[in-house]
Amino acid sequence: MARTVIIEAHGGPEVLKLVGRPVGDPGPGELRIRHMACGLNFIDVYQRTGLYPMTLPAALGMEAAGVVEAVGPGVTHVKPGDRVAYAAQPPGAYAEARVMPAAQVCPLPDGISFDEGAAMMLKGMTVHYLFRRTTPLKAGDTVLFHAAAGGVGLLACQWARAEGITLIATAGSDEKCRLALDHGAAHAINYRTEDFVARVKDLTGGKGVDVVMDAVGKDTFDGSLNCLKPFGMLISFGNASGKVPPLDIGVLAAKGSLKVTRQTIFTHIADHATCQQMAQELFDMVLSAKVKIRIDQRFPLAEVAEAHRALEARATTGQTILTL
């Protein structure tokens, strides 16, 4: 039996329940992993609330790090005893141990701790696809990144600095703005006290930015479009403030032949070889110290509801993990 966090109904943090579940043995293409730490992400909140509906009852959690206990037939890239980390479907990472598909589970280098591995996979590979796979970006380009003091944001600030990209950060307090600047943002805007559209136009001499990376959603979407230069791209990859309303596609023409895309990590990592390559490039960035994993909050697995409350209240910075 392994302690596992499940939900039996969609709702607030109070629906999270810690139960004992049998683990079993891996079948073809599967492995059994003993977790050492689990990551916390906004997608977990979306699934809990029903924004992303799930078949209930359901286990939650999309990323973790630990040790392989057993592998099923056909699994050759990892073996029992290996240190590994993952961000992958299906949910179920909030657990002491689990059986899961092996394809997206990645060998974890010795130079990266289990806590770092659990904190970095989903957010780090998200940053990877934002900067390397969604639209061409090169040194000298300018990016606007919303909620830049969060887990994805602080990684993005460092990634942009390492690749010579000018990143303009937004955050909800002066303290969070300083955090983004400390991690590599070229400029930071407190969206609670400043009009971020006007400030972006001022910073770019009225031209706008090449790309906006927006996981906030409803509250920032229209402003994000207004920050783009002609032919610029808005990359939407989350809905922290709520779902974006339907879009009149003609608006994109009127604002300068703009492009909009809605991305998800799980499309990018669906192919085994691509996932492993993305993870290796992420690990290389961390091992080279170009990107450092900042873990600002740790909650015991039994306090997962408190962890969700803190995340939803935007009371967290950097990464948050659940300890076992």
Side-chain angles (χ1 to χ4, degrees), residues 12 14 20 23 29 72 75 81 91 107 110 119 152 168-169 174-175 196 205 218 225 227 232 253 274 278 311:
E14 69 279 356
V23 180
V75 177
D110 289 339
V152 178
I168 301 172
D174 290 343
E175 181 184 7
F196 74 81
K218 178 173 64 69
L225 291 179
C227 288
T274 301
M278 289 174 65
L311 185 64

Side-chain angles (χ1 to χ4, degrees), residues 7 10 52-59:
I7 59 171
H10 292 297
Y52 295 172
M54 305 175 76
T55 300
L56 301 174

Side-chain angles (χ1 to χ4, degrees), residues 2-303:
R3 292 188 304 156
T4 303
V5 176
I6 68 166
I7 59 171
E8 296 174 328
H10 292 297
E14 69 279 356
V15 304
L16 296 163
K17 297 180 64 175
L18 187 61
V19 300
R21 275 191 163 188
V23 180
D25 296 317
E30 294 180 332
L31 58 75
R32 185 172 71 240
I33 179 173
R34 174 68 52 178
H35 289 149
M36 299 298 174
C38 313
L40 184 74
N41 297 282
F42 248 104
I43 189 173
D44 308 342
V45 174
Y46 302 154
Q47 291 170 343
R48 191 205 74 221
T49 61
L51 180 63
Y52 295 172
M54 305 175 76
T55 300
L56 301 174
L60 289 187
M62 304 301 298
E63 71 174 338
V67 177
V68 177
E69 290 189 329
V71 299
V75 177
T76 58
H77 71 291
V78 293
K79 64 185 184 303
D82 282 355
R83 303 171 75 253
V84 295
Y86 68 86
Q89 299 274 23
Y94 291 179
E96 291 176 322
R98 69 183 295 200
V99 169
M100 63 179 294
Q104 280 67 47
V105 178
C106 305
L108 183 66
D110 289 339
I112 299 175
S113 71
F114 287 120
D115 283 6
E116 290 170 325
M120 70 187 285
M121 294 301 289
L122 193 144
K123 299 176 187 73
M125 290 203 289
T126 295
V127 172
H128 181 288
Y129 80 65
L130 288 172
F131 281 87
R132 293 192 177 174
R133 293 177 55 85
T134 306
T135 192
L137 277 168
K138 61 185 185 303
D141 285 346
T142 302
V143 166
L144 173 65
F145 199 102
H146 290 299
V152 178
L154 292 183
L155 295 180
C157 291
Q158 297 175 77
W159 198 292
R161 178 172 58 188
E163 301 203 336
I165 293 165
T166 298
L167 187 144
I168 301 172
T170 73
S173 70
D174 290 343
E175 181 184 7
K176 288 185 174 184
C177 284
R178 284 192 296 272
L179 199 55
L181 292 169
D182 289 344
H183 282 73
H187 310 280
I189 303 166
N190 183 340
Y191 63 78
R192 297 190 191 278
T193 59
E194 293 185 87
D195 178 340
F196 74 81
V197 177
R199 184 74 176 122
V200 166
K201 290 296 179 69
D202 179 57
L203 289 169
T204 59
K207 295 178 180 178
V209 299
D210 299 284
V211 174
V212 178
M213 299 176 180
D214 188 347
V216 175
K218 178 173 64 69
D219 290 353
T220 52
F221 187 81
D222 290 341
S224 293
L225 291 179
N226 292 331
C227 288
L228 287 167
K229 63 174 58 172
F231 307 110
M233 173 174 279
L234 168 56
I235 306 173
S236 173
F237 65 103
N239 328 273
S241 68
K243 203 170 181 179
V244 174
L247 173 68
D248 174 3
I249 198 169
V251 169
L252 303 180
K255 291 182 181 294
S257 300
L258 304 181
K259 294 166 282 188
V260 174
T261 181
R262 178 62 168 90
Q263 298 284 303
T264 172
I265 186 177
F266 301 110
T267 310
H268 287 275
I269 66 172
D271 174 72
H272 167 74
T274 301
C275 176
Q276 298 296 322
Q277 179 185 355
M278 289 174 65
Q280 187 57 57
E281 292 179 12
L282 172 61
F283 295 149
D284 289 346
M285 292 289 274
V286 173
L287 291 170
S288 69
K290 292 178 181 177
V291 169
K292 295 182 180 179
I293 307 304
R294 179 185 175 119
I295 302 171
D296 286 345
Q297 297 81 212
R298 287 176 168 85
F299 292 86
L301 185 64
E303 295 178 14

